[in-house]
Amino acid sequence: RDIVMILAEFQRRFLEIWSMMDYLEIFEPRLKFEDKAHGVNKTWMGCFTKDSAIVLRLHKAGVPLWLIRDVRLIDDKINIRQVIPFTPANLVF
């Protein structure tokens, strides 16, 4: 039992350090120099947001993202592949 807990804690800390290194080495420099657009990194989890300013910054940094919009704000000129209902975090199992 103890070895399982030790390994789980090690894994959690390792992944946290790895993600912090990715942030400092890859993501943060991309945010500082917004004049260059980067390709989307498909290995990253991404971001859900309602803020269009955040969408612009993260898109240029190459972060996968989803812009959440009220259906009433979408006009007929926008191509929608699929509408997915929003599930609040407290309802996720």
Side-chain angles (χ1 to χ4, degrees):
R1 264 187 168 173
D2 290 339
I3 192 73
V4 172
M5 293 302 294
I6 290 169
L7 287 174
E9 183 66 20
F10 172 78
Q11 181 183 27
R12 183 188 70 80
R13 289 181 188 241
F14 175 80
L15 292 173
E16 188 173 335
I17 291 168
W18 190 355
S19 64
M20 181 56 77
M21 289 175 56
D22 272 356
Y23 175 80
L24 293 173
E25 294 175 355
I26 300 169
F27 182 67
E28 188 179 40
R30 290 181 177 191
L31 285 178
K32 288 181 180 177
F33 304 103
E34 293 184 5
D35 57 334
K36 179 183 176 191
H38 298 274
V40 174
N41 187 334
K42 295 179 182 179
T43 64
W44 290 346
M45 185 181 296
C47 171
F48 291 86
T49 183
K50 293 181 180 182
D51 189 341
S52 57
I54 291 174
V55 167
L56 290 174
R57 289 191 74 198
L58 294 180
H59 177 69
K60 283 187 176 182
V63 176
L65 55 94
W66 293 264
L67 178 61
I68 299 172
R69 286 289 200 214
D70 189 317
V71 72
R72 295 172 291 183
L73 299 175
I74 299 173
D75 62 13
D76 295 337
K77 296 177 185 175
I78 296 176
N79 184 12
I80 300 173
R81 292 186 198 169
Q82 183 178 5
V83 176
I84 300 173
F86 178 73
T87 304
N90 60 350
L91 297 178
V92 175
F93 299 101

